[in-house]
Amino acid sequence: MRLVPDIYNENIETALRRIAKQPTQFALDKLQQRQQKEQRQYQQQFVTLGSLTRWSEHHKDSQPTDYSQFSANPDVAKHPTSPFPCDGQINNRFVIWEGDISQLKVDAITNSTDKTLTEKNQTSKKSFGRAGTASTFIHDVNQCKTGEVFVTPGFFLPSKYVIHTVSPIYSEKHKTASEAILHTCYRNVLYKARELGFGTVALCDISSVQRNFPPATSAHIALRTIRRFLEQYRAEIVIFCLESNERSIYEIVAPLYFPRDRLEEESALLQLPKDIGDLYGERQQLTDRQIRIIHNPQHFVMIEADDDSDTSPHDLEMGSDVEYSNINLSLAAQLTGTAHSFTQMQGDLDRQRLLGDRPRMVYESVLDDGLEGIEHQERYERLLRRAKTEDLSEVSGIGCLYQSGVDRLGRPVVVFCGKWFPAHNIDLEKALLYLIYLLDPIVKGDYVIAYFHTLTSSNNYPSLQWLKDVYSILPYKYKKNLKAFYIVHPTFWTKMMTWWFTTFMAPAIKTKVHSLPGVEHLYSAIAKDQLEIPAYITEYDMATNGIHYFQPITNTSSPAS
């Protein structure tokens, strides 16, 4: 039997709990109503692509000066022909717009920030304000380096995504490096948009006032990079969003890179900088990187560099420090007062054996090899971006290169069928891009390659120069993490060329190359069910060697472990 006080107490507790919940629910309802109201206001302020004026339709504030009589004179003109000819299709995909970038209804907008992703400028305040509180999670990421990009959803923004990038701080002392990194920012934003399939991308002025960049310099870098990007890809649309104080300088410089008629094109010949960069808009000559060292015979250092170590200069990552191990200082000459002990340094063994490089001092070698390694890595990164964005179906459809299972130590196996490689009827540049596209995620760890020379002919052999170029382009991780290179069904000529190539051009992989007379020899390192090869290889193998001519040892070791 329940007492009245008990029932009374229960009713009081239930009522109190209900009353305690009401303020919370009321606050949530008010917050939801406020967000819906703000969202309706934002929707009324959206700016669509159709409402923007393309550069081809942009009104000319003034008629450019007619320099045609001077542009024809090679002594006056900086360029014999226009490096940026008038192209209506490109001009129709480029927009200069003064307004709030956070109002644009496009696939992606850009936000210029710092390494902590917390920099507060006009662009970031507007973007984060419209995106809502959910976008503040980016402040916890803290992983973006200078020149790199980071993509986040747009949340309540009309744009689907936001591409954040960290721009450099301009310094007159490091002028060239600052300009190169700013170019990298614009380039990485554009190519990331291309990689993710964005058709419309809006750029802000990445070189904000806080970065101390001269407005004219940043305008040339931005417009040059955009122009080169639109030349390579004929579908994307780029919108340059500027503040009122930025628009005038960009509209003055834009006709140099986006001429709208013949007169603007001829005028640009005299006004464009002499150095307009490469096909990506990046300047080739980095003068402040050219450091000269005066030789001092009093100070020499012996560095013993293992060719198979992790400290190769060609294995540099962006933003990492150059490390060198096994440094032994030779001070005997100074302590004993005897003649100088000219110790020597061994750097890149491949390069020394091929080119006969002289021994270099440590200071000279660290600077030369370090800068060379950075440039080498930058070149590879450019090829990797192209490999991820370009159409490589011409090469991938051949089926001559693919991954096939793992070996007995769990390492990925890459198969290359020589007979199916039409070396003289294929774009070798695209072949290199496909090689990079396939192997880049694999070579981060140990891997092996199985090359089948079966029934190949002269039509399948690329030039030795091309092989040399490929070997020099690929970073050191490709050679270091390659644990075995099996050549199946080699001919005498193949063995001779392999010996010559690995002895004089690629000694780093010489001990990793194994010539096998038949497929069954390969089964000692790779299980049969992990090796997918074309039927013509097994048929040739049986016709040449018979059946069960070799019994593999099925243990957990391999010939090249």
Side-chain angles (χ1 to χ4, degrees), residues 429-448:
E429 184 178 10
K430 286 188 177 293
L432 173 60
L433 293 178
Y434 180 70
L435 174 71
I436 293 174
Y437 175 81
L438 178 69
L439 292 187
D440 184 76
I442 297 176
V443 300
K444 294 178 181 178
D446 295 346
Y447 70 105
V448 299

Side-chain angles (χ1 to χ4, degrees), residues 299-307 309 311-313 322-330 341-349 352 358-370:
H299 302 86
F300 280 86
V301 180
M302 169 71 81
I303 294 183
E304 298 175 357
D306 185 4
D307 195 61
S309 67
T311 57
S312 170
V322 184
E323 297 180 358
Y324 291 85
S325 59
N326 299 330
I327 300 181
N328 299 320
L329 298 178
S330 178
S341 177
F342 283 81
T343 56
Q344 298 178 347
M345 167 191 171
Q346 291 201 359
D348 188 344
L349 296 181
Q352 287 188 17
R358 61 174 176 81
R360 297 175 294 174
M361 295 185 298
V362 62
Y363 308 108
E364 183 182 5
S365 180
V366 167
L367 289 170
D368 289 349
D369 287 345

